[in-house]
Amino acid sequence: ESPLTIDGNRSDYLLGESDAAIRLRKRIRTAAENDINILISGEAGTDKEHIAGAIHSSSRRTNGPFISVRCSSFECAELRMRLFGANERLGGGGCGALSDARGGTLFLDEIEAMPLEIQSALIHRLEEQDRLMAQGSVNRSDTVRVIASTTCDLSAMVRSGSIRADLYYLLSTFSVKTIPLRDRRDDIPSILRAAAQSTAQRYGTDSARFSDGAISMLIRHSWPGNMRELHRMLLRINYEYPGRTVTAKEIPLLIGAEPQ
């Protein structure tokens, strides 16, 4: 079973032969085979944008655009303009992300940060698209598949009123839940070696090597930052220990104190 890729680049997070890794890859492939909206949830640092890209590149929309918008990066008015451009109606002109992503995929990262008034406008746009598709008035090339991601419990946010229930149901037609590295300890050696090679290729250095004791310590580490923390550690190794084998005594200095 070959790992999923996006634009020819392998996701190191999706490597591994544990039951959890195999289930996750199968879930992603099922998401890619069905042209429906998707909600990706899980802890920060678990490659959710890369997973969204893998779903897009393995789907029937692979020749269309993949547009990513991080909802937490914009104030309300800026986010409205970024999504809808000059006109919120389907096919209404403008150059917003919903228009730019026609025929492809719109990835809405950190959907929990979207203000309620924009949630309402997005619901209207998606429901209008569904209605026109049911009538046969639009082709696939005129529609957008939405993939949203979150680190939060959106069902709890629905109960608190900060996420609209109808948006939650629209986006969670199919769900993919990522798995923290601490729950995939058997996969950490293969992920670590692959990520070390990727880092070395990116910076034109020799790939980091690890002693057996270092690998044992990294398997036991809880990885609160998941892949972000692992990549940060590899960057430090790239700068501080180029061309050397990292030993167990150096691991505490590289991973530092765990954030609470």
Side-chain angles (χ1 to χ4, degrees), residues 113-186:
M114 181 177 287
L116 283 168
E117 63 182 86
I118 299 182
Q119 292 179 37
S120 178
L122 179 61
I123 291 164
H124 174 73
R125 182 72 171 262
L126 294 178
E127 288 180 339
E128 184 180 8
Q129 174 177 277
D130 289 345
R131 178 179 59 81
L132 293 175
M133 286 184 66
Q135 294 174 350
S137 303
V138 295
N139 299 317
R140 186 184 305 279
S141 60
D142 297 319
T143 65
V144 176
R145 188 243 283 270
V146 175
I147 301 178
S149 77
T150 184
T151 58
C152 300
D153 181 352
L154 286 195
S155 61
M157 295 184 71
V158 169
R159 293 192 293 273
S160 70
S162 51
I163 290 288
R164 289 184 52 137
D166 40 3
L167 179 63
Y168 173 70
Y169 295 132
L170 275 171
L171 295 179
S172 62
T173 306
F174 189 91
S175 62
V176 174
K177 186 169 180 59
T178 61
I179 307 164
L181 290 181
R182 64 180 172 275
D183 293 339
R184 299 178 53 196
R185 296 188 188 275
D186 291 345

Side-chain angles (χ1 to χ4, degrees), residues 188-249:
I188 287 175
S190 58
I191 291 174
L192 182 67
R193 292 187 179 101
Q197 290 178 356
S198 300
T199 301
Q201 290 173 359
R202 188 176 304 118
Y203 292 96
T205 59
D206 293 332
S207 178
R209 299 182 300 276
F210 299 87
S211 70
D212 291 343
I215 289 177
S216 295
M217 289 188 70
L218 292 171
I219 289 173
R220 295 195 301 272
H221 182 53
S222 64
W223 297 106
N226 293 293
M227 292 299 291
R228 284 202 193 109
E229 182 183 4
L230 186 143
H231 286 140
R232 184 210 63 174
M233 181 194 73
L234 290 172
L235 282 175
R236 292 186 66 180
I237 291 170
N238 186 66
Y239 295 134
E240 297 183 30
Y241 305 100
R244 284 181 47 192
T245 298
V246 179
T247 64
K249 69 179 183 180

Side-chain angles (χ1 to χ4, degrees), residues 67-69 74 78-85 95-97 100:
I67 306 295
S68 177
V69 176
F74 301 91
E78 294 173 322
L79 182 58
R80 181 184 291 275
M81 182 60 68
R82 179 71 185 92
L83 290 176
F84 302 106
C95 54
D100 296 341

Side-chain angles (χ1 to χ4, degrees), residues 69-73 107-114 148-151 228:
V69 176
R70 179 171 292 175
C71 298
S72 62
S73 297
F107 175 58
L108 297 175
D109 193 16
E110 298 179 1
I111 190 70
E112 69 274 8
M114 181 177 287
S149 77
T150 184
T151 58
R228 284 202 193 109

